[in-house]
Amino acid sequence: MVAVFEPSEYQARTSRAQELMGQHGLVAMLLTCEADVRYYTGYLTRFWESPSRPWFLVVPAIGKPVAVIPSIGAALMGQTWIDDIRTWAAPQPGDDGVSLLADTLRDLAPSGNIGLPYQLESHLRMPLGDYAALQAALPDHSFGTDHGITADLRQVKSEAEIAKIATACTIAGKAFADVPTIATIGTPLSDVFRNFQRLCLQHGADWVPYLAGGADQAGYCDVISPASDAPLQEGDVLMLDTGLIHDGYFCDYDRNFAVGRASAVVQQAQHQLMEACAAGLEAAQPGATAADVYHAMHAIVGGSDAGRLGHGLGMQLTEGLSLIAEDHTVLKAGMVITLEPSVATQNGRLIVHEENIVIREGGAQILSPWSKPELEVI
Amino acid sequence: MVAVFEPSEYQARTSRAQELMGQHGLVAMLLTCEADVRYYTGYLTRFWESPSRPWFLVVPAIGKPVAVIPSIGAALMGQTWIDDIRTWAAPQPGDDGVSLLADTLRDLAPSGNIGLPYQLESHLRMPLGDYAALQAALPDHSFGTDHGITADLRQVKSEAEIAKIATACTIAGKAFADVPTIATIGTPLSDVFRNFQRLCLQHGADWVPYLAGGADQAGYCDVISPASDAPLQEGDVLMLDTGLIHDGYFCDYDRNFAVGRASAVVQQAQHQLMEACAAGLEAAQPGATAADVYHAMHAIVGGSDAGRLGHGLGMQLTEGLSLIAEDHTVLKAGMVITLEPSVATQNGRLIVHEENIVIREGGAQILSPWSKPELEVI
């Protein structure tokens, strides 16, 4: 099913953005990345996997957003609430939509400040040479920060969005519950990875953009490696961390499994990780900051090479706030975040655990099936 | 299995780039995107799915590339041939690796021109604000185009790379051969999509970053939509187009299936598409241009809303040249491309067909199992 909300949701998002644009003196915002474009339009396609074509969405000071996109996307964009769709035959050497975009921006605002995502975690998905050409074509406009308007709005999810993330979490939970059927002593880790993705699809994932993990004695050395063909051995801790998609929304959590037996060190680690998650859950109240949640967890497990103890989640695998000492984002009801502590076990190995929650008035709600304090032995 | 070639392959790539850098007067190249970083290092991870952290690779005028990366990646980068790995705890508000990158660039070249991917299909994967800060921190350097050095080098594949793409094509071919087991009259298209991805994994795909398709009477309206829950009906043409990954390399081709029966219009379309692919294959000789291949196919099927009749392929689903009238890239042995003609059938619907080939001296070699001139009926 296509992840299209009611037009009123996109209208409300646009109106909120336009109010903030007014406060910051922006005559338009220019968006080029998948999640930002989808946030205002509902335009959902895996075609962004192809880097060949740029896609532009302009949010004007008033009125609906305007899409300036390759002609290959016209039919699908035409199914959204957007009605001003301007296309060119991309990719086109020499002028790959730049003059069409410049004309569009000039139509919508003859001059003024145009905001772009500018801060942490953002990038401009168009060639630098084309960005320079765009600026040169619009001497009466200036290009600069969007003051984080879209990123901030995206952090607080609607109930419709939360429901989609919750479903993604439920699907992953069913796949994790089936891991004992696909992983045992002797199974190559690469087979575990392939078959775990098959389980995610079987239980309803639309696709599985992210799977990482590891397996080694009493922990693993890093959490972002692709799978090797090494067979699981007794005493390994197997970790699988997935970001699967349901209707355009991610879950992002992992599970650990003790292969054959669970040593005291490993069980102690699991206890400590779940204690840290419980502390994070307790601290994750509206009005607290990301740093408050970090400190609550850090008191139990200390820091991490991952650089943070959790993060926001939604249309992207990771988005928005980071659970670090330096992030003073104030939590609001509707924010969906991960709690992701890790502990060192032995010989430079670690175990990472992750849960997904949504901030609610009166206390955070758990979205991932909360793990037990004991590691499951497979 | 991790897609790590012998260090000599990365060394050779780096040396070729450095020779071109010398010709263009570049003291360093700065790379920020997954495929470019992997091209020189072998650094393969699905963690790029997370947008939160920037990753930097600096190719100096002489010597090995230097990685400036988040600490979460240090262990995995340490397994590549790179030995100068500088890390910071990302994400870090205020200074997310910018000063470390500036110091590194200054270490490697106290002044001079730094090249970045600048043209069609490229982007800078770091925040615009950080890019401005980097430039301000390095007043003795200038930042500009890399003259397409990395993009051009990446177009010509080594035999080791071609073998990986060929394996990806073979895996997809097995999955396509099994489509009759998962799709029949009444099957919801969304189930077909899920189960086709499961087949890809079953036959050995590491993951399935891309699947698109469509199903409607005698064709479909666009080729990038997500699957609806609508059941397949007699007279539909079902299309599945996949980019699956083997050891970090893509295939990218599609197959069409006639549901229940194939009308004369649909069979005529398939004949025409295969004729266009044959003409493209024949034209795809070393020394010919991308435009020559385009014209050979265009003479049979005309143009397309997709904007091109094929493209390069490799570490990305689409990369490098486009089969359009305006692309005069000269074909060289080792380039891997797709032939992707489409024809209109009726009521605004179209059928798209795609094959993957590698340019060879004496004639292109087919990588995807070449389709028959008749559409398969399921």
Side-chain angles (χ1 to χ4, degrees), chain B residues 70-93:
Chain B
S71 50
I72 196 172
L76 185 59
M77 187 64 86
Q79 294 176 36
T80 72
W81 78 303
I82 303 301
D83 40 41
D84 189 346
I85 301 167
R86 309 181 187 194
T87 67
W88 81 100
Q92 195 57 241

Side-chain angles (χ1 to χ4, degrees), chain B residues 262-298:
Chain B
S263 67
V265 164
V266 157
Q267 285 296 16
Q268 170 57 22
Q270 173 76 0
H271 277 269
Q272 208 181 344
L273 290 165
M274 292 313 299
E275 199 187 333
C277 285
L281 180 69
E282 177 67 28
Q285 303 282 341
T289 67
D292 292 337
V293 181
Y294 166 83
H295 287 301
M297 299 171 74
H298 187 269

Side-chain angles (χ1 to χ4, degrees), chain B residues 45 51 66 73 101 105 117-119 124 135 137 153 203 207 219 224 240 245 263 277 282 302 314 332 336-337 345 361:
Chain B
T45 169
V66 176
L101 176 59
L105 286 166
Y118 225 72
Q119 311 300 337
L124 179 72
Q135 291 175 289
L153 288 175
H203 287 298
W207 76 91
I224 65 172
L240 296 167
I245 288 270
S263 67
C277 285
E282 177 67 28
K332 293 180 192 166
V336 176
I337 68 170
T345 52
E361 296 297 342

Side-chain angles (χ1 to χ4, degrees), chain A residues 23-367:
Chain A
Q23 292 171 18
H24 289 293
L26 299 178
V27 295
M29 291 198 303
L30 172 60
L31 303 168
T32 62
C33 287
E34 191 276 335
D36 289 340
V37 170
R38 178 154 53 99
Y39 182 72
Y40 293 110
T41 62
Y43 186 71
L44 174 65
T45 170
R46 293 172 72 166
F47 195 63
W48 293 85
E49 182 66 36
S50 167
S52 299
R53 298 172 181 86
W55 301 77
F56 305 114
L57 189 77
V58 181
V59 180
I62 51 167
K64 288 187 182 185
V66 176
V68 182
I69 60 173
S71 50
I72 196 171
L76 185 58
M77 188 64 85
Q79 294 175 37
T80 72
W81 78 302
I82 303 301
D83 39 41
D84 189 346
I85 301 167
R86 308 181 188 194
T87 66
W88 80 100
Q92 194 56 240
D95 181 7
D96 203 28
V98 173
S99 61
L100 184 63
L101 176 60
D103 290 346
T104 303
L105 286 165
R106 218 182 279 110
D107 285 354
L108 295 169
S111 65
N113 298 325
I114 296 169
L116 301 97
Y118 225 72
Q119 312 300 337
L120 212 63
E121 191 170 288
S122 72
H123 67 264
L124 179 72
R125 190 182 177 280
M126 72 184 287
L128 283 174
D130 287 358
Y131 181 48
L134 179 69
Q135 291 175 288
L138 294 171
D140 296 330
H141 295 75
S142 71
F143 291 75
T145 179
D146 69 355
H147 303 275
I149 288 174
T150 302
D152 288 348
L153 288 175
R154 280 180 45 201
Q155 291 212 68
V156 179
K157 273 68 178 177
S158 68
E159 289 302 324
E161 290 183 287
I162 294 166
K164 291 194 186 297
I165 299 169
T167 300
C169 286
T170 300
I171 292 167
K174 291 176 183 173
F176 281 125
D178 283 352
V179 166
T181 69
I182 61 160
T184 189
I185 294 170
T187 312
L189 185 60
S190 51
D191 282 357
V192 176
F193 270 43
R194 280 192 195 97
N195 285 320
F196 181 75
Q197 293 175 89
R198 297 186 73 215
L199 289 174
C200 292
L201 291 159
Q202 179 190 319
H203 287 297
D206 296 331
W207 75 92
V208 189
Y210 188 67
L211 177 64
D216 210 334
Q217 293 287 299
Y220 21 84
C221 291
D222 82 301
V223 294
I224 65 170
S225 291
S228 76
D229 295 329
L232 296 180
Q233 299 189 7
E234 189 175 334
D236 279 357
V237 173
L238 164 67
M239 186 274 283
L240 296 167
D241 183 2
T242 192
L244 64 77
I245 290 268
H246 166 71
D247 271 2
Y249 283 80
F250 275 94
C251 67
D252 177 21
Y253 66 99
D254 79 348
R255 287 297 177 259
N256 291 280
F257 303 88
V259 179
R261 59 180 163 77
S263 67
V265 164
V266 157
Q267 285 295 19
Q268 170 58 23
Q270 174 75 0
H271 277 269
Q272 207 180 344
L273 291 165
M274 292 313 300
E275 198 186 334
C277 284
L281 180 68
E282 178 66 28
Q285 304 281 342
T289 66
D292 292 337
V293 181
Y294 166 83
H295 287 300
M297 299 171 74
H298 187 269
I300 295 164
V301 291
S304 151
D305 266 356
R308 56 185 181 179
L309 298 180
H311 54 78
L313 167 69
M315 284 192 285
Q316 291 174 298
L317 178 70
T318 72
E319 61 179 40
L321 63 80
S322 292
L323 299 185
I324 53 178
E326 300 82 3
D327 190 330
H328 305 293
T329 304
V330 175
L331 299 184
K332 294 181 191 166
M335 287 183 172
V336 176
I337 68 170
T338 77
L339 304 171
E340 190 173 12
S342 68
V343 293
T345 51
Q346 57 194 35
N347 302 324
R349 308 222 168 93
L350 70 155
I351 299 182
V352 181
H353 187 82
E354 191 168 20
E355 302 281 0
N356 298 164
I357 65 174
V358 54
I359 313 302
R360 298 284 196 191
E361 296 297 343
Q365 176 195 340
I366 297 164
L367 297 177

Side-chain angles (χ1 to χ4, degrees), chain B residues 28-32 56-58 101 105 114-117 126 134 143:
Chain B
M29 290 197 303
L30 172 61
L31 303 168
T32 62
F56 305 113
L57 189 77
V58 181
L101 176 59
L105 286 166
I114 296 168
L116 301 97
M126 71 184 288
L134 179 70
F143 291 75

Side-chain angles (χ1 to χ4, degrees), chain B residues 104-307:
Chain B
T104 303
L105 286 166
R106 218 181 281 111
D107 284 354
L108 295 170
S111 66
N113 297 323
I114 296 168
L116 301 97
Y118 225 72
Q119 311 300 337
L120 212 63
E121 192 169 286
S122 72
H123 68 264
L124 179 72
R125 191 183 176 279
M126 71 184 288
L128 283 174
D130 287 358
Y131 181 49
L134 179 70
Q135 291 175 289
L138 295 171
D140 297 330
H141 295 75
S142 71
F143 291 75
T145 178
D146 70 353
H147 302 277
I149 289 173
T150 301
D152 287 349
L153 288 175
R154 281 179 46 201
Q155 291 212 68
V156 179
K157 271 70 180 175
S158 68
E159 290 302 323
E161 292 182 286
I162 293 167
K164 292 196 186 295
I165 298 169
T167 300
C169 286
T170 300
I171 292 167
K174 292 176 183 171
F176 281 125
D178 283 351
V179 166
T181 69
I182 60 161
T184 189
I185 294 171
T187 312
L189 185 60
S190 51
D191 283 357
V192 176
F193 271 44
R194 280 193 194 97
N195 286 319
F196 181 74
Q197 294 175 90
R198 298 187 72 214
L199 288 174
C200 293
L201 292 159
Q202 178 190 320
H203 287 298
D206 296 331
W207 76 91
V208 189
Y210 188 68
L211 176 64
D216 210 333
Q217 292 289 297
Y220 22 84
C221 291
D222 83 301
V223 294
I224 65 172
S225 292
S228 76
D229 295 329
L232 296 180
Q233 299 190 7
E234 189 176 333
D236 279 357
V237 173
L238 164 67
M239 187 274 282
L240 296 167
D241 183 1
T242 193
L244 64 77
I245 288 270
H246 166 72
D247 271 3
Y249 283 81
F250 275 94
C251 66
D252 177 21
Y253 66 99
D254 78 347
R255 287 298 176 260
N256 291 281
F257 303 88
V259 179
R261 59 182 163 77
S263 67
V265 164
V266 157
Q267 285 296 16
Q268 170 57 22
Q270 173 76 0
H271 277 269
Q272 208 181 344
L273 290 165
M274 292 313 299
E275 199 187 333
C277 285
L281 180 69
E282 177 67 28
Q285 303 282 341
T289 67
D292 292 337
V293 181
Y294 166 83
H295 287 301
M297 299 171 74
H298 187 269
I300 296 164
V301 292
S304 153
D305 266 357

